């Protein structure tokens, strides 16, 4: 009888131990999954927008630049804005095999809650190479930018064009966008904002 009781106790303890192990394992898996999801949403700052073999990469929290209560300034001052909050850096990558050529376009879209008019804001785009900047788009009012329409690179209609270009080999190109209130715009007495978002589209040339 004692042996049977001992065996029963041992079996019961084994079952309980197995159940505990299973519960701990399940909790561990749930915990790891939750941590992974939580990290991917809040800790990862590198964002990528990919279309075929073209990728735009940016390391900001958002893919654009905002103006709030900014004062009008001349083009000379606007070109030299160097505070980390006064420009937006991004990279366009192309992966190409063989003799493929890719058309790509960098565009901008205005956020709906912007209150400044398009003719009050200027943008300036440069390329970055080993710390040196070269002008890609001269200081231009948003209202004077070309608008996409049946764009060869596949951009939706109605977006502002910052750059049209091509890739013929695998490479990465770095860009910097600045934005400011034009010197000829008279600011009203109330708060004004302008929010611009940057996009890139690309397609293989047939």
């Amino acid at each position: 009888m004692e042996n049977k009781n001992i065996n029963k106790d041992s079996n019961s303890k084994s079952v309980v131990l197995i159940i505990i192990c299973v519960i701990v394992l399940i909790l561990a898996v749930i915990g790891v999954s939750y941590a992974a999801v939580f990290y991917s949403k809040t800790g990862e700052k590198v964002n990528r927008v990919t279309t075929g073999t073209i990728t735009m990469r940016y390391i900001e929290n958002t893919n654009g630049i905002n103006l709030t209560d900014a004062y009008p300034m001349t083009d000379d001052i606007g070109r030299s804005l160097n505070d980390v909050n006064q420009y937006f850096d991004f990279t366009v990558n192309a992966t190409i095999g063989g003799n493929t050529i890719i058309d790509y376009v960098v565009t901008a879209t205005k956020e709906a809650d912007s209150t400044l008019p398009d003719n009050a804001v200027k943008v300036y785009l440069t390329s970055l190479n080993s710390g040196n900047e070269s002008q890609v788009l001269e200081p231009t009012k948003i209202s004077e930018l070309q608008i996409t329409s049946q764009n060869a690179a596949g951009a939706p209609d109605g977006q502002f064009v910052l750059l049209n270009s091509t890739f013929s080999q695998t490479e990465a190109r770095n860009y910097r966008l600045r934005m400011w209130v034009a010197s000829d715009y008279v600011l009203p007495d109330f708060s004004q904002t302008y929010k611009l978002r940057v996009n890139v589209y690309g397609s293989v040339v047939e």
Side-chain angles (χ1 to χ4, degrees), residues 4 19 30 45-46 50 54-55 72 78-79 108 127 149 153 173 190 195 202 204:
K4 289 182 179 180
I19 292 173
I30 292 174
K45 292 185 178 179
V46 176
T50 305
I54 290 286
T55 301
R79 285 191 189 97
S127 62
S149 177
R173 296 176 183 173
F190 52 89
K195 300 178 182 180
V204 176

Side-chain angles (χ1 to χ4, degrees), residues 63-79:
N63 62 321
I65 189 169
N66 302 336
L67 285 178
T68 302
D69 295 334
Y71 290 100
M73 61 182 65
T74 64
D75 289 351
D76 286 342
I77 295 175
R79 285 191 189 97

Side-chain angles (χ1 to χ4, degrees), residues 44-60:
E44 180 62 61
K45 292 185 178 179
V46 176
N47 301 282
R48 292 180 174 83
V49 179
T50 305
T51 305
T53 52
I54 290 286
T55 301
M56 183 178 74
R57 182 175 63 84
Y58 47 94
I59 55 174
E60 309 289 345

